């Protein structure tokens, strides 16, 4: 909020409020890097957390006009986790989960001294005990939930241990009022270990009610261009191109902000990751993948079947799997009606040219 450029996305809270305590209470949002996932997670923590009064922060924004605004404001104990932080400290998954549980259990012991057993090392059991004695329900906000799956993409054993932990912590638990997870990839399809099937998923191929929160919408960018005297047509050419059923124009938020601050159009989002990351997928050249990309560089769209994608970064059977991954990574846009992909804008097009 204190940044020079802030776009009001607080109405996202309307949808999470409606999900509290319902069978839709487990929400998983997947977006490309630098598309505002952590911002939204921090916003939810600030809104729900009972340890502070954040009314002064939110009263001036859109969510304050919602009829349920006061009902949920600062009313919950919130457990906020950034999995990347723990994985950076403990690369072994068992050590990481042990550290995570120790840290949260220490805080729970201070907040509920009569409920948490001395020496308890399992977070889910401690939360069960707290709920049985107090009927207190928690809101979980888990950022970068899939970083382990991305960084240990070949290690299915560690992935399974991690997914079992998330499932045991959140599935069918009476102490969960709401669970909001963010990541880049949709939830991994593991057969019986589609263990997180209790989550309602909103991804780049199916954002549904969260369409307008994927990035900046056209009215928001028009207002910014007018305020900061930037060329709207040029902004559209560089950073627009993501399109959904109800919101036909979605802009890359990172790049829009950078262009306005620097007063110059250019490649900002793609600079945050080297082009080799894109090149390694193109070089697979499954079923004429390079030919498909060449066609898209010429302005064409390519029809795909996104359902075959296994939601990981290693299982590729056809070019459709690679192209679907590139949609989730933000390098391609997806038209759900025609089930086709295309290069969204000039910034990303330049990255494809470098990669091939």
């Amino acid at each position: 909020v204190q940044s020079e450029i802030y776009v009001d996305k607080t109405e996202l809270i309307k949808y999470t409020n409606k999900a509290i305590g319902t069978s839709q209470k487990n929400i998983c949002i997947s977006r490309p890097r630098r598309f505002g996932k952590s911002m939204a997670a921090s916003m939810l923590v600030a809104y729900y957390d009972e340890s502070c009064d954040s009314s002064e922060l939110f009263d001036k924004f859109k969510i304050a006009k919602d009829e349920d605004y006061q009902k949920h404001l600062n009313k919950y104990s919130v457990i906020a986790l950034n999995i990347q932080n723990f994985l950076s400290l403990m690369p072994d998954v068992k050590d990481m989960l042990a550290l995570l549980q120790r840290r949260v259990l220490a805080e729970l012991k201070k907040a509920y001294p009569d409920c948490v057993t001395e020496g308890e090392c399992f977070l889910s059991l401690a939360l069960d005990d707290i709920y049985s004695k107090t009927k207190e329900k928690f809101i979980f906000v888990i950022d970068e939930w899939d970083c382990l799956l991305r960084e240990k993409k070949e290690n299915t054993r560690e992935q399974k241990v991690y997914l079992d932990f998330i499932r045991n912590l959140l599935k069918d638990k009476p102490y969960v009022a709401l669970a909001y997870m963010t990541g880049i990839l949709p939830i991994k399809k593991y057969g019986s270990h589609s263990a997180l099937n209790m989550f309602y998923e909103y991804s780049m191929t199916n954002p549904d009610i969260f369409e307008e929160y994927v990035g900046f919408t056209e009215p928001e960018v028009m207002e910014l261009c007018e305020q900061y005297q930037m060329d709207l047509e040029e902004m559209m050419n560089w950073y627009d191109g993501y399109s959904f059923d109800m919101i036909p124009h979605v802009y890359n938020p990172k790049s829009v902000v950078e262009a306005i601050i620097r007063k110059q159009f250019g490649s900002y989002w793609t600079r945050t990751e080297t082009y080799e990351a894109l090149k390694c997928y193109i070089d697979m050249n499954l079923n004429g993948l390079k030919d498909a990309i060449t066609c898209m560089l010429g302005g064409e769209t390519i029809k795909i079947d996104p359902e075959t994608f296994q939601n990981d970064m290693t299982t590729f059977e056809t070019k459709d799997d690679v192209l679907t991954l590139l949609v989730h990574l933000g390098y391609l846009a997806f038209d759900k009606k025609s089930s086709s992909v295309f290069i969204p804008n000039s910034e990303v097009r330049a990255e494809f040219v470098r990669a091939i």
Side-chain angles (χ1 to χ4, degrees):
V1 169
Q2 295 172 351
S3 302
E4 179 183 349
I5 297 170
Y6 175 73
V7 173
D8 184 351
K9 293 289 188 179
T10 57
E11 286 184 315
L12 179 150
I13 296 169
K14 285 197 305 185
Y15 298 103
T16 54
N17 280 347
K18 288 176 183 175
I20 289 175
T22 71
S23 59
Q24 293 84 40
K25 65 186 176 183
N26 297 304
I27 296 170
C28 184
I29 303 285
S30 56
R31 299 279 182 273
R33 58 194 166 79
R34 309 309 297 272
F35 266 65
K37 298 185 298 296
S38 296
M39 181 282 296
S42 298
M43 178 180 73
L44 294 178
V45 173
Y47 174 77
Y48 289 118
D49 184 21
E50 67 181 4
S51 69
C52 63
D53 178 3
S54 56
S55 56
E56 189 175 331
L57 180 64
F58 285 95
D59 281 351
K60 57 191 174 188
F61 295 120
K62 293 175 183 176
I63 187 59
K65 298 175 182 176
D66 187 69
E67 60 182 0
D68 289 332
Y69 169 60
Q70 290 291 343
K71 179 180 176 182
H72 299 286
L73 179 66
N74 304 131
K75 296 294 195 301
Y76 297 88
S77 288
V78 177
I79 295 179
L81 303 168
N82 185 315
I83 303 300
Q84 184 69 65
N85 291 345
F86 290 102
L87 188 60
S88 298
L89 293 169
M90 293 287 184
D92 180 82
V93 68
K94 289 185 177 178
D95 292 340
M96 181 200 81
L97 295 176
L99 172 65
L100 184 157
Q101 291 181 92
R102 279 200 307 274
R103 296 289 291 180
V104 180
L105 283 165
E107 292 189 30
L108 289 173
K109 183 66 177 171
K110 290 179 183 177
Y112 305 92
D114 300 327
C115 300
V116 180
T117 306
E118 195 65 46
E120 178 63 78
C121 57
F122 293 106
L123 178 56
S124 61
L125 294 181
L127 291 166
D128 277 331
D129 290 341
I130 292 170
Y131 180 77
S132 68
K133 294 177 182 179
T134 67
K135 301 305 176 196
E136 176 108 31
K137 292 194 174 190
F138 292 79
I139 284 181
F140 294 80
V141 178
I142 304 176
D143 198 14
E144 299 282 0
W145 86 271
D146 66 331
C147 64
L148 184 139
L149 279 70
R150 288 184 277 115
E151 293 187 20
K152 295 179 177 288
K153 51 192 174 186
E154 304 285 353
N155 195 328
T156 55
R157 183 190 62 82
E158 291 204 356
Q159 291 178 15
K160 181 180 181 300
V161 170
Y162 174 63
L163 289 172
D164 282 342
F165 170 77
I166 298 288
R167 176 180 59 178
N168 186 55
L169 180 65
L170 300 175
K171 188 169 185 177
D172 300 326
K173 296 295 185 180
Y175 55 71
V176 178
L178 175 75
Y180 181 92
M181 292 202 318
T182 74
I184 292 177
L185 296 175
I187 292 172
K188 168 78 175 141
K189 296 176 182 177
Y190 264 119
S192 64
H193 264 85
S194 253
L196 307 187
N197 57 8
M198 69 283 199
F199 276 92
Y200 283 75
E201 288 194 80
Y202 303 91
S203 69
M204 291 298 282
T205 55
N206 188 24
D208 200 24
I209 57 175
F210 290 99
E211 285 183 4
E212 67 179 289
Y213 306 106
V214 171
F216 291 168
T217 63
E218 186 146 88
E220 290 165 346
V221 173
M222 288 174 68
E223 189 175 325
L224 287 172
C225 286
E226 186 175 344
Q227 182 180 349
Y228 291 94
Q229 298 181 315
M230 298 290 288
D231 187 315
L232 176 62
E233 190 173 333
E234 194 72 358
M235 192 74 81
M236 179 182 292
N237 177 54
W238 271 95
Y239 312 122
D240 185 17
Y242 303 96
S243 180
F244 307 110
D245 289 345
M246 303 303 294
I247 310 292
H249 295 278
V250 174
Y251 292 67
N252 184 316
K254 158 76 175 173
S255 297
V256 169
V257 168
E258 289 277 356
I260 291 173
I261 290 174
R262 298 169 187 266
K263 296 292 183 186
Q264 183 177 346
F265 296 103
S267 297
Y268 298 112
W269 175 72
T270 54
R271 285 181 191 171
T272 63
E273 187 172 281
T274 60
Y275 80 92
E276 281 85 359
L278 176 60
K279 187 175 183 294
C280 71
Y281 296 113
I282 296 174
D283 283 347
M284 292 178 183
N285 200 24
L286 289 169
N287 311 112
L289 178 62
K290 284 185 179 178
D291 291 338
I293 289 170
T294 301
C295 289
M296 286 189 285
L297 283 169
E300 295 183 35
T301 62
I302 300 294
K303 204 168 183 63
I304 66 166
D305 177 8
E307 297 303 318
T308 63
F309 180 54
Q310 293 299 302
N311 298 351
D312 63 26
M313 304 181 87
T314 56
T315 311
F316 302 110
E317 300 292 337
T318 68
K319 77 174 187 298
D320 287 8
D321 296 336
V322 178
L323 294 175
T324 304
L325 172 62
L326 296 180
V327 171
H328 293 298
L329 296 178
Y331 287 109
L332 293 176
F334 178 69
D335 184 333
K336 189 175 178 181
K337 290 178 181 176
S338 63
S339 193
S340 58
V341 293
F342 53 94
I343 297 173
N345 51 50
S346 293
E347 180 181 29
V348 178
R349 185 174 293 106
E351 197 68 8
F352 273 104
V353 170
R354 277 190 288 272
I356 65 171

